[in-house]
Amino acid sequence: MTKTTAADEIFSDESSFYGDDDEKAQLEAQVSSYDPEPFWVETHQKQLSTIQQQLRAPPPRAKRSSSDVSMEDASPEPSSTPCNQRGKTEPIARFLSRLPPSTTGSASVGPWIWMFNPHVSPSRRSGDVPTLLRKGRELLQEYENESAVLREAHDRSGAKTTAALTRKLNPMRKELEKGILDLARETGVTDGKWMLFPTVDRVDEFWGIVVRAMEKGELGDAAKVATDDGSGSGQSRLICVYTPDFGDVEDVKRVVSKLVDIGLVGKGPRGVYYKSDAFTHLEINSKNEYGLKASMYSSREMLEGK
C-alpha cells in the first residue's frame, strides 16, 4: 500500500489548494481562452527593448577578401541595416539622408524613425506592458464607477454649481494618478519623453540636431520621430526624446535643459511637455474623461530659476 504524505494531501486533485470547483473551472477557462500570439505579433516587436536589442545585435561578419585588408571593421551589408533606425556602424550623415522624416513614408518603414544613445547599456527594459494595461484599466474603471455615483448624486441635489462635486473629485483624481504611476513603477514601465512638435518644413532640421546630440550622449536613451502617414493633413511632426525613469527629476530636467541649449526648446511660455509612457499606453490624452493632466512636467516649470 502506498503511503500518503502530507504534501500529497495538500497538492492532490481532491484538496482545496487549487480552489473550489467553481474557481478551478474559471481559471481553466481563462487559460484555455488566453491567446499569447497578439502580444508577440503586435506588442513585443514594438517594445523599445526589442527594437534596441535588434539594433545592438552584432551585424553579420563580412567575408574576407583575397587581399590583405582586414574586414573586421567592415560596415554591415545593406540588408542588415535596420529599415527604421540607424545601423550600428552607419554614419550619422548617411542615416539622416537615408531617412529624412519629412518625406519618409510610414508605409515603407512604419510610423517612427528611431535613434538610440550608443553610450547607454542595452540592458534597459520596457517593462510589463500587458500587466500595466490590465491593472491600469481596472483603476480607471473603478474611478469611473465612483465618479458616476457622485455625479448622479450631484444631479439629484439640484445644486447650481459644480464646486462641491469638484471638491470631491479632485482628491479621487490625485489618487488615481498616484495609483497609475505606482503601477508603472511596479511593472517597470518607467519610460517617459519630452515631446517636440516642429513643423514639417523644419522637422528634418530638428531631427538632425536631436540625432547628433544623441550620438554624443547628451540627451536621453532614445528618440523617435513620426514619419509621413500620407494623409497630407499634418502641419507638424512629433519628436519624442526619452528618459528611462520619469521619477528621476534631475535627469528629466537635464535633458530638457540640453534641448534648450541646442536651440530646440525656448524659455518662453510656449514650452514643451513631458509625458510618461504609462499614460500613453493607457491612452490618457489631453481632455480625457477622467480629468487627469496628461503630462507630468512642462519645460517652463522645470526651467524656472535656471
Side-chain angles (χ1 to χ4, degrees), residues 226-284:
T227 53
D228 183 5
D229 63 5
S231 65
S233 59
Q235 298 300 314
S236 63
R237 295 285 180 81
L238 172 60
I239 295 177
C240 296
V241 180
Y242 284 88
T243 72
D245 184 359
F246 58 72
D248 188 345
V249 179
E250 288 303 313
D251 188 48
V252 172
K253 183 176 181 179
R254 177 191 65 79
V255 171
V256 76
S257 296
K258 188 61 185 180
L259 291 173
V260 171
D261 293 342
I262 60 181
L264 298 184
V265 174
K267 296 182 180 180
R270 296 185 63 182
V272 295
Y273 295 89
Y274 182 97
K275 186 176 182 179
S276 70
D277 268 14
F279 272 39
T280 298
H281 287 305
L282 290 169
E283 299 181 347
I284 300 175

Side-chain angles (χ1 to χ4, degrees), residues 150 154 157 159-172:
L150 292 177
H154 174 267
S157 70
K160 296 182 179 180
T161 69
T162 60
L165 176 62
T166 301
R167 284 195 297 270
K168 294 178 181 178
L169 289 178
N170 281 342
M172 292 171 55

Side-chain angles (χ1 to χ4, degrees), residues 1 17 26 75-76 105 112 129 170 190 215 218 230 243 255:
M1 180 177 180
F17 178 83
Q26 181 182 5
S75 297
W112 304 104
V129 176
N170 281 342
T190 59
E215 167 66 14
E218 295 176 340
T243 72
V255 171

Side-chain angles (χ1 to χ4, degrees), residues 16-302:
S16 60
F17 178 83
Y18 299 98
D20 57 26
D21 291 341
D22 290 339
E23 185 174 3
K24 286 191 284 187
Q26 181 182 5
L27 293 174
E28 289 171 355
Q30 291 177 353
V31 171
S32 62
S33 63
Y34 175 68
D35 181 12
E37 184 177 1
F39 169 76
W40 292 106
V41 173
E42 301 173 7
T43 305
H44 181 262
Q45 63 181 342
K46 298 177 183 177
Q47 288 184 327
L48 189 55
S49 59
T50 303
I51 298 171
Q52 191 171 16
Q53 183 60 36
Q54 292 171 348
L55 173 63
R56 294 182 180 276
R61 187 180 297 276
K63 295 181 180 179
R64 291 189 177 275
S65 66
S66 57
S67 67
D68 293 332
V69 178
S70 172
M71 298 293 289
E72 190 71 21
D73 297 325
S75 297
E77 296 178 1
S79 61
S80 67
T81 301
C83 67
N84 68 338
Q85 55 199 277
R86 182 192 176 201
K88 189 174 182 181
T89 61
E90 186 176 18
I92 291 294
R94 179 181 174 185
F95 168 59
L96 293 173
S97 63
R98 178 171 64 87
L99 294 172
S102 62
T103 57
T104 299
S106 58
S108 59
V109 301
W112 304 104
I113 300 169
W114 288 88
M115 173 67 186
F116 293 96
N117 186 338
H119 306 280
V120 173
S121 169
S123 61
R124 182 171 173 270
R125 297 289 183 267
S126 290
D128 185 359
V129 176
T131 298
L132 171 81
L133 291 175
R134 177 173 57 83
K135 293 187 176 182
R137 287 165 180 162
E138 291 174 358
L139 291 174
L140 294 172
Q141 186 61 55
E142 182 180 346
Y143 169 82
E144 282 192 317
N145 294 341
E146 293 178 359
S147 63
V149 172
L150 292 177
R151 293 179 192 280
E152 289 176 5
H154 174 267
D155 292 341
R156 290 195 302 269
S157 70
K160 296 182 179 180
T161 69
T162 60
L165 176 62
T166 301
R167 284 195 297 270
K168 294 178 181 178
L169 289 178
N170 281 342
M172 292 171 55
R173 288 170 179 152
K174 291 181 180 179
E175 188 64 24
L176 174 61
E177 179 181 4
K178 180 180 182 300
I180 293 174
L181 295 180
D182 286 346
L183 177 61
R185 294 185 183 93
E186 291 172 11
T187 54
V189 186
T190 59
D191 306 305
K193 63 272 184 183
W194 286 106
M195 299 177 292
L196 312 176
F197 293 91
T199 55
V200 174
D201 62 327
R202 297 197 66 189
V203 66
D204 291 350
E205 173 192 353
F206 272 53
W207 179 240
I209 295 173
V210 168
V211 166
R212 291 184 174 90
M214 188 73 67
E215 167 66 14
K216 297 176 183 177
E218 295 176 340
L219 295 176
D221 54 351
K224 68 181 182 182
V225 60
T227 53
D228 183 5
D229 63 5
S231 65
S233 59
Q235 298 300 314
S236 63
R237 295 285 180 81
L238 172 60
I239 295 177
C240 296
V241 180
Y242 284 88
T243 72
D245 184 359
F246 58 72
D248 188 345
V249 179
E250 288 303 313
D251 188 48
V252 172
K253 183 176 181 179
R254 177 191 65 79
V255 171
V256 76
S257 296
K258 188 61 185 180
L259 291 173
V260 171
D261 293 342
I262 60 181
L264 298 184
V265 174
K267 296 182 180 180
R270 296 185 63 182
V272 295
Y273 295 89
Y274 182 97
K275 186 176 182 179
S276 70
D277 268 14
F279 272 39
T280 298
H281 287 305
L282 290 169
E283 299 181 347
I284 300 175
N285 301 314
S286 59
K287 299 180 181 179
N288 58 83
E289 61 266 40
Y290 317 106
L292 294 175
K293 185 179 178 181
S295 60
M296 290 188 68
Y297 312 113
S298 73
S299 58
R300 183 176 59 179
E301 295 169 346
M302 279 273 176

